[in-house]
Amino acid sequence: MAVTEPKKNHYSDTFDEGFSTVPHYLAYPRMRPFVGCRYAGAKARILLVGESHYLPKNQTLHLDAQRWYQGQEGDFRPGQGLGWIHTREILNKSTGEWRKQGHAIYRNLDRALYEAGFQSGDSALEHIAFMNGFQRPARERLSLEVAPEDIEVGRETLAAVIDILRPDGVIFVSRKAARHLSGELKVPHGSVPHPASAWWNRASRRGTGKTSLFSKCPGFVPVRRAHEL
């Protein structure tokens, strides 16, 4: 009988004691950040901030901001979407395993970080931390319609995560999240277009979104792997 190898974890739970004090993560613990297993020892500690998770069309809990933020994971019915907000399990894949169309953001980030010189074991994401800026999921395949509560909770949660992780810099991989949430940050930060958008590979005066990511890694000098592009 074949023995199934246990799934490798590309993330660390080192910072979970701190996350357990964050109000939103007490209600929705599956939304805790993905912290790569090599993040703590990285030459430059980078926190990437996406936009939001999304939930399938048969879910309604997230459609009202007040209801969502007054709720908790226990309000989900079995099989009704908890896996869609499980940040760590979504990112906990080896390079090449993000095959779903909705996971293009992670596939493209992993590739961009590898090309920038983040030495990859099984995943370049092992070197960084990742969270979503907005703590309420959007409708499936749509961008979040931002409510005042999303901004308030998003800013509070992001500030708490920064205090816990102590990153050298924060890079928003969503202009929308940056526009609403970056104003009060006290750490170096920047933003690039969403990695699943056309602007990720489209040239502008600042370069492509992908190459802009390289330049916004504080303390890191990118090394392009031209022979592997």
Side-chain angles (χ1 to χ4, degrees):
M1 183 176 180
V3 177
T4 302
E5 291 289 332
K7 182 177 180 179
K8 178 181 178 180
N9 279 345
H10 299 289
Y11 63 84
S12 168
D13 59 6
T14 302
F15 299 91
D16 280 3
E17 183 175 352
F19 295 147
S20 69
T21 66
V22 180
H24 185 72
Y25 297 145
L26 290 174
Y28 296 97
R30 283 176 173 79
M31 298 184 76
R32 290 175 299 176
F34 172 94
V35 182
C37 58
R38 304 186 189 196
Y39 171 85
K43 181 170 64 174
R45 288 186 172 191
I46 305 300
L47 172 61
L48 300 181
V49 181
E51 189 166 312
S52 73
H53 287 301
Y54 53 87
L55 284 174
K57 295 176 181 178
N58 62 357
Q59 270 294 318
T60 60
L61 179 64
H62 62 306
L63 300 183
D64 179 87
Q66 289 188 358
R67 182 186 176 201
W68 174 259
Y69 292 117
Q70 291 171 2
Q72 57 184 343
E73 284 187 9
D75 297 329
F76 279 76
R77 297 188 301 276
Q80 292 294 301
L82 272 175
W84 294 52
I85 65 169
H86 200 325
T87 308
R88 293 178 179 180
E89 281 306 300
I90 293 172
L91 272 73
N92 189 38
K93 293 179 171 63
S94 297
T95 293
E97 291 186 1
W98 291 284
R99 298 187 180 95
K100 294 181 180 179
Q101 182 179 358
H103 291 175
I105 176 177
Y106 313 117
R107 182 169 62 247
N108 290 342
L109 282 173
D110 178 73
R111 181 64 175 170
L113 289 167
Y114 181 76
E115 291 173 7
F118 284 82
Q119 295 292 331
S120 176
D122 291 321
S123 168
L125 298 185
E126 292 179 353
H127 299 268
I128 56 86
F130 179 93
M131 66 180 289
N132 279 308
F134 297 119
Q135 303 306 309
R136 179 169 64 97
R139 296 171 183 261
E140 186 177 2
R141 300 184 182 278
L142 297 176
S143 184
L144 183 71
E145 295 181 9
V146 180
E149 294 90 343
D150 297 317
I151 298 172
E152 179 182 358
V153 177
R155 287 178 175 175
E156 290 174 353
T157 304
L158 176 56
V161 169
I162 289 172
D163 284 344
I164 294 164
L165 293 182
R166 301 291 181 182
D168 295 307
V170 173
I171 303 172
F172 289 87
V173 290
S174 161
R175 300 286 199 201
K176 186 173 187 176
R179 186 166 64 250
H180 288 288
L181 304 176
S182 66
E184 299 178 1
L185 296 188
K186 297 179 181 179
V187 296
H189 60 277
S191 68
V192 297
H194 194 288
S197 73
W199 288 104
W200 184 245
N201 290 304
R202 185 179 297 171
S204 69
R205 288 180 300 172
R206 302 175 183 176
T208 66
K210 183 170 70 172
T211 56
S212 294
L213 178 71
F214 303 161
S215 66
K216 294 180 187 296
C217 295
F220 182 79
V221 179
V223 179
R224 285 187 65 82
R225 304 172 184 275
H227 63 290
E228 298 179 356
L229 299 184

